[in-house]
Amino acid sequence: MTTSRSTASPSRLASRLAGLFAFLVAALIVLHPSDALARRRLVVLAFDGDKAEEFHDEVEKFLKKSHSVVPLAKADDAADELGATRVNDRNVKKVAKKLSLDGVITGEVEKRSSRYYLTLTLRDGATGKTATTVDLVERGARLSSDGKATLTD
């Protein structure tokens, strides 16, 4: 007897979440190897593109499980106060210093056909420079388990 199953199983979602977590842990170990087990302070800046808010919320929710995530409004206020409205090395460094951030995550979402192409960039708070970038392809406006698994690798 055969049965049919959906390919979007909960185990795939869990796998993708685990992937995202592993990616972020690896990136933070590279940024600050001596403090690898410490809880990092991060901010997830507003994403650009199609369904950007949904993906932003998914990433932020996932990060809150293992990191201290600074609210976006607080980062925006600090950036406005410092005149750092563009995302570049110098401005990221200034805002990160003011808020004591270890990292800043930016994201871009592009919809092509029925898929969403998501590019996440982790910037080092101490230097403002890009530490790592990861590209994901998603079928819906949510992080899938495969995407999170990719981030883990």
Side-chain angles (χ1 to χ4, degrees):
M1 180 188 263
T2 60
T3 61
S4 65
R5 279 197 173 165
S6 171
T7 58
S9 67
S11 63
R12 291 185 78 199
L13 178 60
S15 174
R16 286 197 177 178
L17 280 173
L20 176 63
F21 177 73
F23 160 75
L24 293 171
V25 168
L28 289 173
I29 288 172
V30 169
L31 292 175
H32 300 283
S34 63
D35 300 322
L37 299 176
R39 196 164 166 91
R40 299 287 173 206
R41 283 180 54 89
L42 302 171
V43 67
V44 182
L45 297 181
F47 291 179
D48 294 324
D50 301 309
K51 303 286 184 177
E53 189 172 327
E54 287 89 343
F55 281 107
H56 175 273
D57 294 344
E58 287 274 320
V59 170
E60 194 171 69
K61 180 180 174 183
F62 179 74
L63 289 173
K64 284 182 179 180
K65 295 176 182 176
S66 58
H67 303 290
S68 296
V69 178
V70 174
L72 178 59
K74 189 171 183 178
D76 286 343
D77 289 345
D80 289 342
E81 183 180 312
L82 296 168
T85 56
R86 294 185 52 187
V87 178
N88 58 37
D89 296 353
R90 192 184 83 200
N91 289 343
V92 168
K93 183 178 175 180
K94 285 194 312 189
V95 172
K97 183 177 181 180
K98 180 171 181 67
L99 298 176
S100 301
L101 298 172
D102 297 305
V104 175
I105 296 173
T106 60
E108 292 183 27
V109 183
E110 182 182 348
K111 183 173 184 185
R112 291 188 227 150
S113 185
S114 64
R115 300 189 189 269
Y116 292 90
Y117 293 80
L118 176 65
T119 302
L120 295 175
T121 303
L122 174 65
R123 290 176 167 266
D124 182 10
T127 65
K129 297 192 181 300
T130 299
T132 189
T133 300
V134 66
D135 295 314
L136 302 171
V137 179
E138 300 295 343
R139 293 181 189 173
R142 299 191 75 194
L143 286 178
S144 64
S145 58
D146 288 343
K148 292 173 185 173
T150 300
L151 294 176
T152 302
D153 295 340

